[in-house]
C-alpha cells in the first residue's frame, strides 16, 4: 500500500486540513482481527459526535498495524470529549487484542512492502547491517492533517525526523 493506494482509501471529500491521529500497533493483526477492528472503527466514526453534533469522521486499520482516525472539522470542531471517545475506542481495541498502541519507542519501516517494527535503540544497528538504508520508507506517525498523511506519512529515512538522529552511510563496494 503506497501513496496511490493510500489516496484511494482516504475519503476524497475530506478537507486537506482534516485532523489525523495515527496509533501504531505493537504487532500486525491477522485478517480476521483486521475485519473485526474495521467494523468497530466503522461503528465508532458513524456515531462520532462533538457536543451532540455529528463529526465527519473516518477510521480504518491500515497496513494491518495502524489505526488511522480522521476528523474533517469544516463544519463541526472535534472537542476534547470527542477526542477522548476516539482514544477510548483505541484503548478498547488494545485490551481486546492484547496489543499496545502507545509505545513511542518502536519505529516502523516499510521493508519489502511490509510494515516492519524496530525498537528505536536498534535502528542504527539495522542501518549498519544493511537491513534498512537512507531510502527505506519510514512511517512518520506524527502527521496531523489529511494532506500530511497523504504526502508525508511514508517518507525515506533520510528525509524523516529520524534522519539526523542516526548515521547514514552509503555502502562502499569493497
Amino acid at each position: 500500500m503506497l501513496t496511490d493506494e493510500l489516496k484511494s482509501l482516504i475519503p476524497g471529500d475530506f478537507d486537506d486540513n482534516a485532523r489525523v491521529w495515527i496509533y501504531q500497533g505493537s504487532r500486525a493483526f491477522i485478517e480476521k482481527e483486521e475485519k473485526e477492528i474495521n467494523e468497530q472503527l466503522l461503528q465508532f466514526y458513524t456515531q462520532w459526535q462533538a457536543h451532540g453534533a455529528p463529526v465527519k469522521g473516518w477510521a480504518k486499520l491500515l497496513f494491518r498495524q495502524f489505526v488511522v482516525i480522521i476528523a474533517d472539522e469544516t463544519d463541526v470542531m472535534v472537542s476534547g470529549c470527542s477526542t477522548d471517545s476516539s482514544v477510548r475506542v483505541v484503548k478498547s481495541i488494545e485490551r481486546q487484542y492484547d496489543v499496545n498502541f502507545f509505545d513511542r519507542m518502536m519505529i516502523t519501516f516499510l521493508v519489502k512492502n511490509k510494515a516492519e517494527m524496530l525498537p528505536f535503540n536498534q535502528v542504527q544497528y539495522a542501518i549498519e547491517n544493511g537491513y534498512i538504508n537512507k531510502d527505506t520508507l519510514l512511517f512518520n506517525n506524527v502527521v496531523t492533517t489529511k494532506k500530511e498523511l497523504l504526502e508525508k506519512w511514508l517518507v525515506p529515512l533520510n528525509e524523516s525526523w529520524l534522519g539526523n538522529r542516526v548515521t547514514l552511510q552509503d555502502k562502499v563496494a569493497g
Side-chain angles (χ1 to χ4, degrees), residues 120-129 165-169:
F120 179 79
N121 63 3
Q122 291 181 15
V123 171
Q124 188 63 53
Y125 177 86
I127 293 167
E128 291 167 1
N129 288 279
R165 291 176 171 84
V166 294
T167 304
L168 297 166
Q169 311 154 349

Side-chain angles (χ1 to χ4, degrees), residues 4-5 11 13 15 23-25 28 31 33 39 41 48 63 88 102-103 126 133 147 149 151 155-156 158-159:
D4 288 340
E5 193 174 338
D13 64 334
D15 188 84
Y23 299 93
Q24 173 180 282
E31 189 174 345
E33 294 170 327
E39 181 59 34
L41 293 171
W48 199 8
F63 289 95
R88 277 194 298 279
F102 296 92
D103 182 353
N133 62 48
K147 183 175 175 55
L149 177 68
E151 296 175 359
V155 294
N158 66 322
E159 295 175 22

Side-chain angles (χ1 to χ4, degrees), residues 119-165:
F120 179 79
N121 63 3
Q122 291 181 15
V123 171
Q124 188 63 53
Y125 177 86
I127 293 167
E128 291 167 1
N129 288 279
Y131 181 68
I132 59 174
N133 62 48
K134 66 181 180 62
D135 298 317
T136 302
L137 296 178
L138 168 95
F139 286 91
N140 178 28
N141 295 327
V142 296
V143 298
T144 60
T145 66
K146 174 189 165 189
K147 183 175 175 55
E148 287 180 351
L149 177 68
L150 294 174
E151 296 175 359
K152 298 179 181 173
W153 186 32
L154 277 167
V155 294
L157 172 58
N158 66 322
E159 295 175 22
S160 75
W161 62 269
L162 184 59
N164 63 0
R165 291 176 171 84

Side-chain angles (χ1 to χ4, degrees), residues 55-120:
V55 171
K56 183 178 180 181
W58 179 90
K60 195 166 188 75
L61 183 68
L62 299 179
F63 289 95
R64 290 203 171 157
Q65 194 156 343
F66 301 90
V67 170
V68 177
I69 300 174
I70 305 176
D72 185 334
E73 297 180 298
T74 306
D75 296 323
V76 175
M77 297 295 286
V78 174
S79 64
C81 293
S82 50
T83 301
D84 290 348
S85 68
S86 68
V87 173
R88 277 194 298 279
V89 168
V90 173
K91 288 193 168 287
S92 171
I93 293 168
E94 238 185 2
R95 287 187 302 275
Q96 186 177 353
Y97 295 97
D98 192 27
V99 67
N100 183 348
F101 282 111
F102 296 92
D103 182 353
R104 302 291 182 241
M105 295 310 289
M106 294 298 285
I107 311 296
T108 304
F109 297 91
L110 190 64
V111 179
K112 297 179 183 162
N113 286 326
K114 187 170 179 270
E116 297 282 349
M117 297 182 76
L118 281 172
F120 179 79

